[in-house]
């Protein structure tokens, strides 16, 4: 199956790319960690609840998970609305978080992944051409 060879090549390139992007991924997770610490300290004793009724930023791990999911923009207004309902200026913290994480770090992360994958794919193709030339 000719597609099997291409799939194996793609998985090999992904495997080679992961160690090269780990520094950017760790930096991204560290930024979420710092923001979640800030949000936890800011909102833990305000007595707010989420849309579904659970406590708002109850512990550090919940705040980390909520902010991690917020980066994917899957629950974008749901996380911000309880704070916005209490004081409108709390939305500034969420806007800064989304600008830093979604627009800056995700762009950097995507660029690093793309460049490293392209570099590894180029190396793989050069090696394949070199092997073909050696066989001829």
């Amino acid at each position: 199956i000719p597609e099997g060879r291409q799939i194996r090549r793609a998985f090999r390139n992904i495997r080679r790319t992961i160690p090269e992007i780990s520094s950017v991924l760790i930096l991204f997770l560290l930024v979420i960690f710092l923001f979640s610490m800030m949000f936890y300290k800011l909102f833990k004793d305000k007595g707010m609840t989420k849309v579904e009724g659970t406590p708002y930023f109850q512990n550090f791990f919940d705040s980390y998970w909520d902010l991690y999911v917020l980066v994917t923009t899957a629950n974008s207004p749901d996380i911000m609305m309880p704070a916005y309902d209490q004081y409108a200026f709390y939305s500034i913290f969420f806007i800064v978080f989304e600008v830093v994480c979604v627009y800056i770090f995700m762009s950097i992360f995507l660029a690093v992944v793309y460049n490293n994958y392209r570099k590894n794919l180029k190396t793989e193709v050069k090696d394949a051409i070199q092997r073909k030339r050696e066989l001829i």
Side-chain angles (χ1 to χ4, degrees), residues 82-95:
Y84 180 78
D85 289 340
Q86 190 172 17
Y87 296 111
F89 70 88
Y90 281 153
S91 63
I92 293 171
F93 294 108
F94 290 96
I95 291 169

Side-chain angles (χ1 to χ4, degrees), residues 10-82:
F11 277 119
R12 244 191 329 265
N13 288 330
I14 291 170
R15 190 182 67 226
R16 290 178 186 154
T17 303
I18 288 173
E20 296 169 355
I21 65 171
S22 62
S23 61
V24 176
L25 181 63
I26 289 170
L27 183 63
F28 175 66
L29 294 175
L30 183 64
V31 167
I32 294 176
F33 177 82
L34 294 174
F35 270 101
S36 63
M37 233 175 9
M38 182 179 70
F39 279 47
Y40 172 66
K41 292 291 184 183
L42 184 64
F43 295 120
K44 71 176 179 178
D45 295 328
K46 302 289 186 201
M48 295 183 275
T49 59
K50 295 180 191 174
V51 175
E52 63 268 2
T54 58
Y56 195 61
F57 291 109
Q58 181 181 11
N59 59 33
F60 175 75
F61 298 109
D62 285 340
S63 62
Y64 189 88
W65 177 253
D66 287 341
L67 291 179
Y68 176 75
V69 173
L70 182 61
V71 169
T72 66
T73 65
N75 62 348
S76 187
D78 293 344
I79 293 296
M80 184 176 75
M81 289 314 291

